[in-house]
Amino acid sequence: MTLKNNKFEMVIWDWDGTIMNSTPTIVECMQQSCRDLGMPVPSDQIASHVIGLGIIESIRIAMPTVAEADYPLVLERFRHYYLGKDHELTMFEGIRELLSDLKANGHILAVATGKPRVGLNRSLNNHQLDDYFHDSRTADETRSKPNPQMLLELMEKWAIPAHKIVMIGDTTHDLKMAKSAGVSAIAMSYGAHSAEELLAHQPLACFSKVEDLRHFLLS
């Protein structure tokens, strides 16, 4: 299919906090896991800050006093709570329609997420989004954000130059990853990190509404 808009050939999406309105749920599950285990409970700010990183890196930063030997306990508790709520999560309004129109417009769509593969596949299936994406990378398959490996692998596989790729995310981890890979980045301020934090990393644009993102990508 011929691309109708030549601004970007490939649009790469973060998942949690960008496509899925999951930030409050992740924070709640992380905090409840710590309460169950009698561990220090991270604040909302700290818990939301690590969203987008791989799970091990998230624990290391948000729960610095937890011994590495206890990480499996935290993981087990987190998964227990998250799996109980995963099916209740919803996409941000307008995302499905935007993904559909971008694909119809000829863009290659991909996901680069801190979720593990099993978690991403479950969410794709739960929300019937499998057919929208051409490719994806997860933190348990490559290096965790902000390392650029996810983007570099996608760039190489699809033979698309950096200037024809844009990364869309709601965290500074996404923006740092994009910068390291040499690709453009668009920040969405409705997720885990504030507009002020995101703008400090000088994204191509920062939007608070999917409607504004749609206008930027398709107009």
Side-chain angles (χ1 to χ4, degrees), residues 24-95:
T25 298
I26 293 172
V27 169
E28 179 186 347
C29 292
M30 193 181 303
Q31 292 172 333
Q32 189 57 52
S33 300
C34 291
R35 292 189 189 99
D36 283 3
L37 297 168
M39 296 174 174
V41 178
S43 66
D44 290 358
Q45 182 180 5
I46 292 174
S48 63
H49 177 76
V50 299
I51 292 175
L53 300 175
I55 187 64
I56 298 301
E57 187 67 13
S58 296
I59 295 173
R60 185 176 295 120
I61 294 173
M63 310 167 201
T65 62
V66 175
E68 194 165 335
D70 291 330
Y71 285 6
L73 297 176
V74 179
L75 276 170
E76 187 280 327
R77 284 287 82 195
F78 177 82
R79 287 169 177 157
H80 167 76
Y81 286 112
Y82 190 78
L83 288 174
K85 295 177 176 292
D86 192 27
H87 65 285
E88 301 173 358
L89 298 176
T90 59
M91 283 178 283
F92 288 103
E93 185 177 354
I95 284 289

Side-chain angles (χ1 to χ4, degrees), residues 176-197:
K176 290 177 182 178
M177 176 176 66
K179 184 176 181 179
S180 294
V183 308
S184 296
I186 295 174
M188 304 305 296
S189 62
Y190 52 54
H193 292 186
S194 69
E196 183 179 8
E197 292 175 285

